[in-house]
Amino acid sequence: MEQYVIKGGNPLVGEVTIGGAKNAALGIITAAIMADEPVLLENMPDVSDISALLGAVSNIGASVTKRDRHTVLINGSTISDINVEYESIKKIRASYYLLGALLGKFKRAVVPLPGGCNIGSRPIDQHIKGFEALGADVKIQYGSVIAVAENLHGAHIYLDMASVGATINIMMAATLASGNTIIENAAREPHVVDVANFLNSMGANIKGAGTEVIRIKGVEKLHRSEYSIVPDMIEAGTYMMAAAATKGDILIKNVIPKHLEAITAKLQEIGCQVEEFDDSVRVSAKGRVGRTNIKTQPYPGYPTDMQPQMAAVLTTAVGPSIITESIFENRFKYADELARMGARIKVEGTTAIIEGVEGLTGARVSATDLRAGAALVIAALSAEGFSVIDEIGYIQRGYEDFEVKLASLGGQIKKIRTERELQRFIFRAG
Ligand code: EPZ
């Protein structure tokens, strides 16, 4: 089983280039199969969630050709099946985007119900509400969502919460419905905007993405496109936190600074220097950071996907901090792991109270989900001594070459598979 071994204490210094946004690419891969012509996608992140979803679309018959690590050609004209298999949804929850794509294109879709995950139950009632409003008959049978429509018509849909997944799924189905659809209380995340921009590049007619009201004028069909995925704001934010935690100085390239504003504001509030350039940000920190309070919100608020990473930084802040997780019901599982490194975190429901300590010490810890795993790496890089991190498969779902990029910044981190490799790292890092 692969692990990370880390020797903490080195400030991370240098430059790192950010890849394409995983959460945009997932929606865009499923939207791509809605055309019956080739679609070329560039700046794709080379992470396991993307490989899993490319596998899912090829399993239903789409042709998928990887030109290189970051470029893939998809053609949906060869799709022969609208039944997505259980294995696909087990590997990647975002297979549920195939509901909107297949319902839009074929007026039929059968997709296994995605289970919960380590951060919460993650229902899809809002997705289903949207499909029914568009005229589909949706039922849940034998563990699958079965959506069928004579034809899809425009509708005025009001989401109970600004759900990213529901916004993207409904937007896809509405693209090929007849008439106009309005999605109220829509999610505004940059990856939602990217999926809308991609659909428009294929001939869709979507306006207002990035605001809470998205208007979609249904079109007959979609056509070929070449598209480059937006930079990943969460990957960028993760390296910003790594600079803060290790008292380093990192230039993070290929970003859209506007997407990072909530993260930048919080880092400046706790005493970090953040300089914004056209397509990069530079983050540096000198001594221990100050304390702050965080409340996660839908975009443009502080992102829930940056909550664990900020917690890792605040474990050694001067003074107590409070984190309120208002999006998911169970996103503090990493707290017990950070406690093994000497952090003092008290979790009460959806609130965590973090008492800043002088410093952390290395320990053997286990990733509990994607962003929690990234937080443990950040904590280990700032800790005194050696750490070993288990379950790094979670991390590889969303971070391309994570240990390579961190090592290029001076981080003493290595991916290992055997005890021998562990001993060799410890001997060398001394
Ligand atoms: C997307 O998940 C992201 N995943 C998540 O990132 C991210 O944390 C989340 O948006 C919020 O930004 C992808 O884009 C693949 P939601 P999603 O629907 O779409 C509730 C990562 O680390 N809800 O915006 O599933 C839901 O339970 C991942 O990259 C319903 O109740 O999130 C949650 O409490 C983790 N009913 C809240 O809304 C629904 O029908 C927000 O969920 C849908 C959602």
Side-chain angles (χ1 to χ4, degrees):
M1 173 191 70
E2 288 183 331
Q3 299 165 305
Y4 283 145
V5 55
I6 293 168
K7 181 170 187 263
N10 286 10
L12 296 186
V13 178
E15 299 186 354
V16 67
T17 300
I18 299 304
K22 165 181 83 85
N23 291 347
L26 292 170
I28 287 170
I29 287 169
T30 48
I33 67 162
M34 295 176 77
D36 280 329
E37 296 180 354
V39 168
L40 189 70
L41 300 179
E42 296 168 325
N43 198 37
M44 293 276 282
D46 186 12
V47 296
S48 58
D49 267 8
I50 296 300
S51 315
L53 191 58
L54 289 173
V57 297
S58 82
N59 284 349
I60 57 172
S63 88
V64 174
T65 317
K66 278 204 89 166
R67 290 277 174 81
D68 61 42
R69 278 190 86 181
H70 303 120
T71 310
V72 66
L73 187 71
I74 296 175
N75 190 326
S77 63
T78 51
I79 289 177
S80 51
D81 193 354
I82 51 99
N83 285 277
V84 177
E85 57 192 51
Y86 178 69
E87 269 323 297
S88 298
I89 202 93
K90 215 162 77 95
K91 271 199 203 124
I92 172 75
R93 276 180 57 80
S95 298
Y96 66 22
Y97 283 146
L98 287 168
L99 272 170
L102 295 171
L103 183 63
K105 182 172 185 177
F106 298 108
K107 311 299 179 266
R108 269 180 61 77
V110 179
V111 177
L113 200 58
C117 74
N118 288 341
I119 61 176
S121 65
R122 305 185 74 180
I124 61 165
D125 56 296
Q126 299 297 301
H127 303 233
I128 292 169
K129 176 170 98 169
F131 297 146
E132 287 174 337
L134 293 171
D137 172 48
V138 185
K139 52 180 182 292
I140 292 173
Q141 250 176 2
Y142 309 115
S144 283
V145 182
I146 301 162
V148 184
E150 273 304 298
N151 58 55
L152 293 176
H153 53 69
H156 193 159
I157 299 159
Y158 203 105
L159 294 179
D160 295 359
M161 77 289 293
S163 158
V164 167
T167 302
I168 290 175
N169 233 342
I170 296 165
M171 191 163 66
M172 284 193 285
T175 293
L176 292 177
S178 56
N180 299 335
T181 295
I182 299 175
I183 304 174
E184 304 265 7
N185 198 17
R188 301 162 58 185
E189 275 72 2
H191 31 288
V192 172
V193 176
D194 213 36
V195 176
N197 291 341
F198 170 66
L199 282 163
N200 283 339
S201 79
M202 291 205 293
N205 185 333
I206 301 170
K207 291 187 173 47
T211 73
E212 63 275 20
V213 182
I214 298 180
R215 296 171 193 284
I216 301 136
K217 206 187 276 297
V219 295
E220 286 293 308
K221 62 195 283 106
L222 298 171
H223 54 66
R224 69 181 58 234
S225 170
E226 290 194 10
Y227 194 79
S228 183
I229 309 291
V230 73
D232 193 323
M233 60 182 262
I234 305 300
E235 185 193 13
T238 302
Y239 286 99
M240 294 168 79
M241 294 295 152
T246 61
K247 306 182 183 62
D249 184 345
I250 305 179
L251 179 66
I252 298 146
K253 303 194 300 186
N254 189 34
V255 302
I256 297 173
K258 174 138 189 64
H259 293 166
L260 304 169
E261 282 178 348
I263 301 163
T264 297
K266 275 298 167 186
L267 284 174
Q268 288 171 333
E269 193 183 308
I270 61 175
C272 298
Q273 284 70 46
V274 183
E275 267 180 285
E276 292 182 351
F277 305 97
D278 285 349
D279 60 355
S280 59
V281 291
R282 181 174 172 188
V283 181
S284 59
K286 298 267 174 302
R288 282 175 67 186
V289 295
R291 48 115 5 243
T292 185
N293 293 338
I294 300 275
K295 183 172 172 35
T296 63
Q297 299 281 0
Y299 190 87
Y302 189 87
T304 176
D305 288 350
M306 285 300 304
Q307 180 261 92
Q309 302 92 314
M310 177 57 95
V313 172
L314 294 174
T315 55
T316 56
V318 178
S321 303
I322 299 174
I323 295 185
T324 307
E325 172 55 60
S326 60
I327 307 291
F328 291 108
E329 66 268 28
N330 185 16
R331 199 163 200 175
F332 291 118
K333 289 184 78 151
Y334 60 82
D336 293 340
E337 301 301 308
L338 286 176
R340 296 171 53 74
M341 302 173 85
R344 291 224 193 103
I345 306 181
K346 186 161 177 35
V347 177
E348 286 171 3
T350 57
T351 300
I353 299 147
I354 304 175
E355 199 188 312
V357 295
E358 279 286 328
L360 300 179
T361 53
R364 174 132 187 205
V365 291
S366 188
T368 52
D369 66 74
L370 165 57
R371 308 301 175 186
L376 293 176
V377 171
I378 290 171
L381 287 166
S382 74
E384 186 267 316
F386 290 92
S387 297
V388 172
I389 300 181
D390 293 327
E391 303 300 335
I392 61 170
Y394 280 117
I395 302 172
Q396 291 163 340
R397 297 183 55 168
Y399 290 96
E400 181 180 315
D401 297 341
F402 197 38
E403 75 283 357
V404 174
K405 292 185 177 182
L406 290 167
S408 73
L409 294 166
Q412 290 187 278
I413 177 172
K414 192 166 170 41
K415 190 184 337 183
I416 58 168
R417 287 177 185 76
T418 64
E419 181 62 25
R420 220 172 102 73
E421 287 177 318
L422 173 60
Q423 293 314 323
R424 193 183 305 140
F425 177 89
I426 292 173
F427 175 74
R428 286 198 180 140

